[in-house]
Coordinates of all heavy atoms in Angstrom, one line a residue:
M1 N 102.7 105.4 91.1 CA 102.3 105.7 92.5 C 101.1 104.8 92.8 O 100.1 104.7 92.0 CB 101.9 107.2 92.6 CG 101.6 107.6 94.0 SD 101.3 109.3 94.3 CE 101.6 110.1 92.8
T2 N 101.1 104.1 93.9 CA 100.0 103.2 94.2 C 99.2 103.7 95.4 O 98.0 103.3 95.5 CB 100.6 101.8 94.6 OG1 101.5 101.9 95.7 CG2 101.3 101.2 93.4
E3 N 99.7 104.6 96.2 CA 99.0 105.2 97.3 C 99.6 106.5 97.7 O 100.8 106.7 97.7 CB 99.0 104.3 98.5 CG 98.1 104.8 99.7 CD 98.1 103.9 100.9 OE1 99.0 103.0 101.0 OE2 97.3 104.0 101.7
L4 N 98.7 107.5 98.0 CA 99.2 108.8 98.4 C 98.3 109.3 99.5 O 97.1 109.5 99.3 CB 99.2 109.8 97.3 CG 99.5 111.3 97.7 CD1 101.0 111.3 98.2 CD2 99.4 112.2 96.5
I5 N 98.9 109.6 100.7 CA 98.2 110.3 101.8 C 99.0 111.5 102.0 O 100.1 111.4 102.5 CB 98.1 109.4 103.0 CG1 97.4 108.1 102.8 CG2 97.4 110.2 104.2 CD1 97.4 107.1 103.9
P6 N 98.5 112.7 101.6 CA 99.3 113.9 101.6 C 99.9 114.1 103.0 O 99.3 114.0 104.0 CB 98.3 115.0 101.3 CG 97.3 114.3 100.4 CD 97.2 112.9 101.0
N7 N 101.2 114.5 103.0 CA 102.0 114.8 104.2 C 102.2 113.6 105.1 O 102.6 113.8 106.3 CB 101.4 116.0 105.0 CG 101.3 117.2 104.2 OD1 102.2 117.6 103.5 ND2 100.2 117.9 104.3
Q8 N 101.9 112.4 104.7 CA 102.0 111.2 105.5 C 102.7 110.0 104.8 O 103.6 109.5 105.4 CB 100.6 110.8 106.1 CG 100.0 111.7 107.0 CD 98.6 111.2 107.4 OE1 98.4 110.0 107.5 NE2 97.7 112.1 107.8
K9 N 102.1 109.7 103.6 CA 102.6 108.4 103.1 C 102.5 108.4 101.5 O 101.6 109.0 101.0 CB 101.6 107.3 103.6 CG 102.0 105.9 103.1 CD 101.1 104.9 103.6 CE 101.4 103.5 103.2 NZ 100.4 102.5 103.7
L10 N 103.5 107.8 100.9 CA 103.6 107.6 99.5 C 104.0 106.2 99.2 O 105.1 105.8 99.7 CB 104.6 108.6 98.8 CG 104.9 108.4 97.4 CD1 103.7 108.6 96.5 CD2 106.1 109.2 97.0
S11 N 103.3 105.5 98.4 CA 103.7 104.1 98.0 C 103.8 104.1 96.5 O 103.0 104.8 95.8 CB 102.6 103.1 98.4 OG 102.4 103.1 99.8
Y12 N 104.8 103.4 96.0 CA 105.0 103.4 94.6 C 105.7 102.1 94.2 O 106.3 101.4 95.0 CB 105.9 104.6 94.1 CG 107.3 104.6 94.6 CD1 108.3 104.1 93.8 CD2 107.6 105.1 95.9 CE1 109.6 104.1 94.2 CE2 108.9 105.1 96.3 CZ 109.9 104.6 95.5 OH 111.2 104.6 95.9
V13 N 105.6 101.8 92.9 CA 106.4 100.7 92.3 C 107.2 101.2 91.2 O 106.9 102.2 90.5 CB 105.4 99.6 91.8 CG1 104.6 98.9 92.9 CG2 104.5 100.1 90.7
L14 N 108.4 100.6 91.0 CA 109.3 101.0 89.9 C 109.0 100.1 88.7 O 109.1 98.9 88.8 CB 110.7 100.8 90.4 CG 111.8 101.2 89.4 CD1 111.8 102.7 89.2 CD2 113.2 100.8 89.9
L15 N 108.6 100.7 87.6 CA 108.3 100.0 86.4 C 109.5 99.8 85.5 O 109.5 98.9 84.7 CB 107.2 100.7 85.6 CG 105.9 100.8 86.4 CD1 104.8 101.6 85.6 CD2 105.3 99.4 86.8
S16 N 110.5 100.7 85.5 CA 111.6 100.6 84.7 C 112.7 101.5 85.2 O 112.5 102.3 86.2 CB 111.3 101.1 83.2 OG 110.9 102.4 83.2
G17 N 113.9 101.4 84.6 CA 115.0 102.3 85.0 C 116.1 101.6 85.7 O 117.3 102.0 85.7
L18 N 115.9 100.5 86.4 CA 116.9 99.7 87.1 C 116.7 98.2 86.8 O 115.5 97.8 86.6 CB 116.8 99.9 88.6 CG 117.2 101.3 89.2 CD1 117.0 101.4 90.7 CD2 118.6 101.7 88.8
P19 N 117.7 97.4 86.8 CA 117.5 96.0 86.5 C 117.0 95.2 87.7 O 117.6 94.3 88.2 CB 118.9 95.6 86.1 CG 119.8 96.5 86.9 CD 119.1 97.8 87.0
L20 N 115.8 95.6 88.2 CA 115.2 95.0 89.4 C 113.8 94.6 89.0 O 113.1 95.2 88.2 CB 115.1 96.0 90.5 CG 116.4 96.7 91.0 CD1 116.1 97.8 92.0 CD2 117.4 95.6 91.5
R21 N 113.3 93.6 89.7 CA 111.9 93.1 89.5 C 111.2 93.3 90.7 O 111.7 93.2 91.8 CB 111.9 91.6 89.1 CG 112.5 91.3 87.7 CD 112.4 89.8 87.4 NE 112.5 88.9 88.4 CZ 113.7 88.4 88.8 NH1 114.8 88.7 88.2 NH2 113.8 87.5 89.8
N22 N 109.9 93.6 90.6 CA 109.0 93.7 91.7 C 109.4 94.7 92.8 O 109.2 94.5 94.0 CB 108.8 92.3 92.4 CG 108.2 91.3 91.4 OD1 107.4 91.6 90.6 ND2 108.7 90.1 91.5
Y23 N 110.0 95.8 92.3 CA 110.4 96.9 93.2 C 109.2 97.6 93.7 O 108.3 98.1 93.0 CB 111.3 97.9 92.5 CG 111.8 99.0 93.4 CD1 113.0 99.0 94.1 CD2 111.0 100.1 93.6 CE1 113.4 100.0 94.9 CE2 111.4 101.2 94.4 CZ 112.6 101.1 95.1 OH 113.0 102.1 95.9
Q24 N 109.0 97.6 95.1 CA 107.9 98.3 95.7 C 108.5 99.1 96.9 O 109.4 98.6 97.6 CB 106.9 97.3 96.3 CG 106.3 96.4 95.3 CD 105.4 95.4 95.9 OE1 104.6 95.8 96.8 NE2 105.4 94.2 95.5
A25 N 108.0 100.3 97.1 CA 108.5 101.1 98.2 C 107.4 101.9 98.9 O 106.4 102.2 98.2 CB 109.6 102.1 97.7
V26 N 107.6 102.3 100.1 CA 106.7 103.1 100.9 C 107.6 104.1 101.6 O 108.6 103.8 102.3 CB 105.9 102.2 101.9 CG1 105.1 103.1 102.8 CG2 105.1 101.1 101.3
V27 N 107.1 105.4 101.5 CA 107.8 106.5 102.2 C 106.7 107.0 103.2 O 105.7 107.4 102.8 CB 108.2 107.6 101.2 CG1 108.9 108.7 101.9 CG2 109.1 107.1 100.1
Q28 N 107.1 107.0 104.5 CA 106.2 107.5 105.5 C 106.9 108.7 106.3 O 108.1 108.5 106.6 CB 105.8 106.4 106.5 CG 104.9 105.4 105.8 CD 104.3 104.4 106.8 OE1 105.0 103.5 107.3 NE2 103.0 104.5 107.0
L29 N 106.2 109.8 106.4 CA 106.7 110.9 107.2 C 105.9 111.0 108.5 O 104.8 110.7 108.6 CB 106.4 112.2 106.4 CG 106.9 112.3 105.0 CD1 106.4 113.6 104.4 CD2 108.4 112.2 105.0
S30 N 106.7 111.3 109.6 CA 106.1 111.5 110.9 C 106.9 112.6 111.6 O 108.0 112.9 111.3 CB 106.1 110.2 111.7 OG 107.4 109.8 111.9
S31 N 106.2 113.3 112.5 CA 106.8 114.4 113.3 C 106.5 114.2 114.8 O 105.7 114.8 115.4 CB 106.2 115.7 112.9 OG 106.5 116.0 111.5
P32 N 107.3 113.3 115.4 CA 107.1 113.0 116.8 C 107.4 114.2 117.7 O 106.8 114.4 118.8 CB 108.0 111.8 117.1 CG 109.1 111.9 116.1 CD 108.4 112.5 114.9
D33 N 108.3 115.1 117.3 CA 108.7 116.3 118.1 C 108.5 117.5 117.1 O 108.8 117.3 115.9 CB 110.1 116.2 118.6 CG 110.4 115.1 119.5 OD1 109.5 114.8 120.4 OD2 111.4 114.4 119.4
S34 N 108.1 118.6 117.6 CA 108.0 119.8 116.8 C 109.3 120.1 116.2 O 110.4 120.1 116.8 CB 107.4 120.9 117.6 OG 108.3 121.3 118.6
G35 N 109.3 120.4 114.9 CA 110.5 120.8 114.2 C 111.3 119.7 113.7 O 112.4 119.9 113.1
V36 N 110.9 118.4 113.9 CA 111.7 117.3 113.5 C 110.7 116.5 112.6 O 109.6 116.2 112.9 CB 112.1 116.4 114.7 CG1 112.8 115.1 114.2 CG2 113.1 117.2 115.6
T37 N 111.3 116.1 111.4 CA 110.5 115.2 110.5 C 111.3 113.9 110.4 O 112.4 113.9 110.0 CB 110.3 115.9 109.2 OG1 109.6 117.1 109.3 CG2 109.5 114.9 108.2
L38 N 110.6 112.8 110.7 CA 111.3 111.5 110.5 C 110.7 110.9 109.2 O 109.6 111.0 108.8 CB 110.9 110.5 111.6 CG 111.4 110.9 113.0 CD1 110.9 109.9 114.0 CD2 112.9 111.0 113.0
V39 N 111.7 110.3 108.4 CA 111.3 109.7 107.1 C 111.6 108.2 107.2 O 112.8 107.8 107.5 CB 112.1 110.3 105.9 CG1 111.7 109.6 104.6 CG2 111.8 111.8 105.8
N40 N 110.6 107.4 107.0 CA 110.9 105.9 107.0 C 110.6 105.5 105.6 O 109.5 105.5 105.1 CB 109.9 105.2 107.9 CG 110.1 103.7 108.0 OD1 111.2 103.2 107.5 ND2 109.1 103.0 108.5
W41 N 111.7 105.1 104.9 CA 111.6 104.7 103.4 C 112.0 103.3 103.3 O 113.2 102.9 103.5 CB 112.5 105.6 102.6 CG 112.3 105.6 101.2 CD1 112.0 104.6 100.3 CD2 112.5 106.8 100.3 NE1 111.9 105.0 99.0 CE2 112.2 106.4 99.0 CE3 112.8 108.1 100.6 CZ2 112.3 107.3 97.9 CZ3 112.8 109.0 99.5 CH2 112.6 108.6 98.2
T42 N 111.0 102.4 103.0 CA 111.3 101.0 102.9 C 111.1 100.5 101.5 O 110.2 101.1 100.8 CB 110.5 100.2 103.9 OG1 109.1 100.4 103.6 CG2 110.8 100.5 105.3
A43 N 111.9 99.6 101.0 CA 111.7 99.1 99.6 C 112.0 97.6 99.6 O 112.8 97.1 100.4 CB 112.7 99.8 98.7
S44 N 111.4 96.9 98.7 CA 111.7 95.5 98.5 C 111.8 95.3 97.0 O 111.1 96.0 96.2 CB 110.6 94.6 99.1 OG 109.4 94.8 98.5
F45 N 112.6 94.3 96.6 CA 112.8 94.0 95.2 C 113.4 92.6 95.0 O 113.9 92.1 96.0 CB 113.7 95.1 94.6 CG 115.0 95.2 95.2 CD1 116.1 94.5 94.8 CD2 115.2 96.1 96.3 CE1 117.3 94.6 95.4 CE2 116.4 96.2 96.9 CZ 117.5 95.4 96.4
H46 N 113.4 92.2 93.8 CA 114.1 91.0 93.4 C 115.1 91.3 92.3 O 114.9 92.3 91.5 CB 113.1 89.9 92.8 CG 112.2 89.4 93.9 ND1 110.9 89.9 94.0 CD2 112.3 88.5 94.8 CE1 110.3 89.3 95.0 NE2 111.1 88.4 95.5
C47 N 116.2 90.6 92.3 CA 117.2 90.9 91.2 C 117.9 89.6 90.8 O 117.6 88.5 91.5 CB 118.2 91.9 91.7 SG 119.0 91.5 93.2
K48 N 118.7 89.6 89.9 CA 119.5 88.5 89.4 C 120.3 87.9 90.5 O 120.9 88.6 91.3 CB 120.3 88.7 88.2 CG 119.6 89.0 87.0 CD 120.5 89.2 85.8 CE 119.8 89.5 84.5 NZ 120.6 89.7 83.4
Y49 N 120.4 86.6 90.6 CA 121.2 85.9 91.7 C 122.6 86.4 91.6 O 123.2 86.5 90.6 CB 121.1 84.4 91.5 CG 121.9 83.7 92.5 CD1 121.4 83.5 93.8 CD2 123.2 83.2 92.2 CE1 122.0 82.8 94.7 CE2 123.9 82.5 93.2 CZ 123.3 82.3 94.5 OH 124.0 81.7 95.4
G50 N 123.1 86.7 92.8 CA 124.5 87.2 92.9 C 124.7 88.7 92.9 O 125.8 89.2 93.2
T51 N 123.6 89.5 92.5 CA 123.7 90.9 92.5 C 123.0 91.6 93.6 O 123.1 92.8 93.7 CB 123.2 91.5 91.1 OG1 121.8 91.2 91.0 CG2 124.0 90.9 89.9
G52 N 122.3 90.9 94.4 CA 121.5 91.4 95.5 C 122.3 92.3 96.5 O 121.9 93.3 96.9
W53 N 123.5 91.8 96.8 CA 124.3 92.6 97.8 C 124.6 94.0 97.2 O 124.6 94.9 98.0 CB 125.7 91.8 98.0 CG 126.5 91.7 96.8 CD1 126.5 90.7 95.9 CD2 127.5 92.7 96.4 NE1 127.5 91.0 94.9 CE2 128.1 92.2 95.2 CE3 128.0 93.8 96.9 CZ2 129.1 92.9 94.5 CZ3 129.0 94.5 96.3 CH2 129.6 94.0 95.1
F54 N 125.0 94.1 95.9 CA 125.3 95.4 95.3 C 124.0 96.3 95.4 O 124.1 97.4 95.8 CB 125.7 95.2 93.9 CG 125.8 96.5 93.1 CD1 126.9 97.4 93.3 CD2 124.8 96.9 92.3 CE1 126.9 98.6 92.7 CE2 124.8 98.1 91.6 CZ 125.9 99.0 91.8
W55 N 122.9 95.8 94.9 CA 121.7 96.6 94.9 C 121.2 97.0 96.3 O 120.7 98.1 96.5 CB 120.6 96.0 94.1 CG 121.0 95.9 92.6 CD1 121.3 94.9 91.9 CD2 121.1 97.1 91.8 NE1 121.7 95.3 90.6 CE2 121.5 96.7 90.5 CE3 120.8 98.5 91.9 CZ2 121.7 97.5 89.4 CZ3 121.0 99.3 90.9 CH2 121.4 98.8 89.7
R56 N 121.4 96.2 97.3 CA 121.0 96.6 98.6 C 121.9 97.7 99.1 O 121.4 98.7 99.7 CB 121.2 95.4 99.6 CG 119.9 94.5 99.6 CD 120.0 93.5 100.8 NE 121.1 92.6 100.7 CZ 121.2 91.5 99.9 NH1 120.2 91.1 99.2 NH2 122.3 90.7 99.9
I57 N 123.2 97.6 98.9 CA 124.1 98.7 99.3 C 123.8 100.0 98.5 O 123.7 101.1 99.1 CB 125.6 98.3 99.1 CG1 126.0 97.2 100.1 CG2 126.5 99.5 99.2 CD1 127.3 96.5 99.8
F58 N 123.7 99.9 97.2 CA 123.4 101.0 96.3 C 122.1 101.7 96.7 O 122.1 103.0 96.9 CB 123.3 100.6 94.9 CG 122.9 101.7 93.9 CD1 123.9 102.7 93.5 CD2 121.6 101.8 93.5 CE1 123.5 103.7 92.7 CE2 121.3 102.9 92.6 CZ 122.2 103.8 92.2
L59 N 121.0 101.0 96.9 CA 119.7 101.6 97.2 C 119.7 102.1 98.6 O 119.1 103.1 98.9 CB 118.6 100.6 97.0 CG 118.3 100.3 95.5 CD1 117.3 99.2 95.3 CD2 117.8 101.6 94.8
N60 N 120.3 101.4 99.6 CA 120.4 101.9 100.9 C 121.1 103.3 101.0 O 120.6 104.2 101.6 CB 121.1 100.9 101.8 CG 121.0 101.3 103.3 OD1 120.0 101.6 103.8 ND2 122.2 101.4 104.0
H61 N 122.2 103.4 100.3 CA 122.9 104.7 100.2 C 122.0 105.8 99.6 O 121.9 106.9 100.1 CB 124.2 104.5 99.5 CG 124.9 105.8 99.3 ND1 125.6 106.5 100.3 CD2 125.0 106.6 98.1 CE1 126.1 107.6 99.8 NE2 125.8 107.7 98.5
T62 N 121.5 105.4 98.4 CA 120.7 106.4 97.7 C 119.4 106.8 98.4 O 119.2 108.0 98.5 CB 120.3 105.8 96.3 OG1 121.6 105.5 95.6 CG2 119.5 106.8 95.4
L63 N 118.7 105.9 98.9 CA 117.4 106.2 99.6 C 117.7 106.9 100.9 O 116.9 107.8 101.3 CB 116.6 104.9 99.8 CG 116.1 104.3 98.5 CD1 115.2 103.0 98.8 CD2 115.3 105.2 97.6
S64 N 118.8 106.6 101.6 CA 119.1 107.3 102.8 C 119.4 108.8 102.5 O 118.9 109.7 103.2 CB 120.3 106.7 103.5 OG 120.0 105.4 104.0
K65 N 120.1 109.0 101.5 CA 120.5 110.4 101.1 C 119.2 111.2 100.7 O 119.0 112.3 101.2 CB 121.5 110.4 100.0 CG 122.0 111.7 99.6 CD 123.1 111.6 98.5 CE 123.6 113.0 98.2 NZ 124.7 112.9 97.2
V66 N 118.4 110.6 99.9 CA 117.2 111.2 99.4 C 116.2 111.5 100.6 O 115.6 112.5 100.8 CB 116.5 110.4 98.3 CG1 115.1 111.0 98.0 CG2 117.4 110.4 97.1
A67 N 116.1 110.5 101.6 CA 115.3 110.7 102.7 C 115.8 111.8 103.6 O 114.9 112.6 104.1 CB 115.3 109.4 103.5
M68 N 117.1 112.0 103.8 CA 117.6 113.1 104.5 C 117.3 114.4 103.9 O 116.9 115.4 104.5 CB 119.1 113.0 104.8 CG 119.4 111.9 105.8 SD 121.2 111.9 106.2 CE 121.9 111.1 104.8
Q69 N 117.4 114.5 102.6 CA 117.0 115.7 101.8 C 115.5 116.0 101.9 O 115.1 117.1 102.1 CB 117.5 115.6 100.4 CG 118.9 115.5 100.2 CD 119.4 115.2 98.8 OE1 118.6 114.6 98.0 NE2 120.6 115.5 98.4
L70 N 114.7 115.0 101.9 CA 113.3 115.1 102.0 C 112.9 115.6 103.4 O 112.1 116.6 103.5 CB 112.6 113.8 101.8 CG 111.0 113.8 101.9 CD1 110.4 114.7 100.9 CD2 110.6 112.3 101.7
A71 N 113.5 115.1 104.4 CA 113.3 115.6 105.8 C 113.7 117.0 106.0 O 112.9 117.8 106.6 CB 114.0 114.7 106.8
A72 N 114.8 117.4 105.5 CA 115.3 118.8 105.6 C 114.3 119.7 104.9 O 114.0 120.8 105.4 CB 116.7 118.9 105.0
A73 N 113.8 119.3 103.7 CA 112.9 120.2 103.0 C 111.6 120.3 103.7 O 111.0 121.4 103.8 CB 112.7 119.6 101.6
A74 N 111.1 119.2 104.3 CA 109.8 119.2 105.1 C 110.0 120.1 106.3 O 109.0 120.8 106.6 CB 109.5 117.8 105.5
E75 N 111.1 120.1 107.0 CA 111.3 120.9 108.1 C 111.3 122.4 107.7 O 110.8 123.3 108.5 CB 112.6 120.6 108.8 CG 112.5 119.2 109.6 CD 113.8 118.7 110.1 OE1 114.8 119.5 110.2 OE2 113.8 117.5 110.5
K76 N 111.8 122.8 106.5 CA 111.8 124.2 106.1 C 110.4 124.6 105.8 O 110.1 125.8 106.0 CB 112.6 124.3 104.8 CG 114.1 124.2 105.1 CD 114.9 124.4 103.8 CE 116.4 124.2 104.1 NZ 117.2 124.3 102.8
L77 N 109.5 123.7 105.4 CA 108.1 124.1 105.1 C 107.4 124.3 106.4 O 106.4 125.0 106.5 CB 107.4 123.0 104.3 CG 107.9 122.8 102.9 CD1 107.2 121.6 102.2 CD2 107.6 124.1 102.1
N78 N 107.7 123.6 107.5 CA 107.1 123.7 108.8 C 108.1 124.0 109.9 O 108.4 123.2 110.8 CB 106.4 122.3 109.1 CG 105.3 122.0 108.1 OD1 104.4 122.9 107.9 ND2 105.3 120.8 107.6
P79 N 108.6 125.2 109.9 CA 109.6 125.5 110.9 C 109.0 125.5 112.3 O 107.9 125.8 112.5 CB 110.1 126.9 110.5 CG 109.0 127.5 109.7 CD 108.3 126.3 109.0
S80 N 109.8 125.1 113.3 CA 109.3 125.0 114.7 C 109.2 126.5 115.2 O 109.9 127.4 114.8 CB 110.2 124.2 115.5 OG 111.4 124.9 115.9
D81 N 108.4 126.6 116.2 CA 108.2 127.9 116.9 C 109.3 128.2 117.9 O 109.4 129.3 118.3 CB 106.8 128.0 117.5 CG 105.7 127.9 116.5 OD1 105.9 128.3 115.3 OD2 104.7 127.4 116.9
S82 N 110.1 127.2 118.2 CA 111.1 127.4 119.3 C 112.4 128.0 118.8 O 112.7 128.0 117.6 CB 111.3 126.1 120.1 OG 111.6 125.1 119.2

């Protein structure tokens, strides 16, 4: 973890676990409307030539799914009054 702002932002780097180099990510939470939590999860990385297309698809799918689960959990913690 490289930065943490509770309930707002988490930045981290991946040191091992996937065949990627220089993986960096930022997860930002925002609530523009009551009862709604938006998750913006961005990541950048380098990989072996010719495998980038696979890792972009894989990570996009995985991070999208985790972001939706994170948003649902955050909404349960802060239910709207309406």
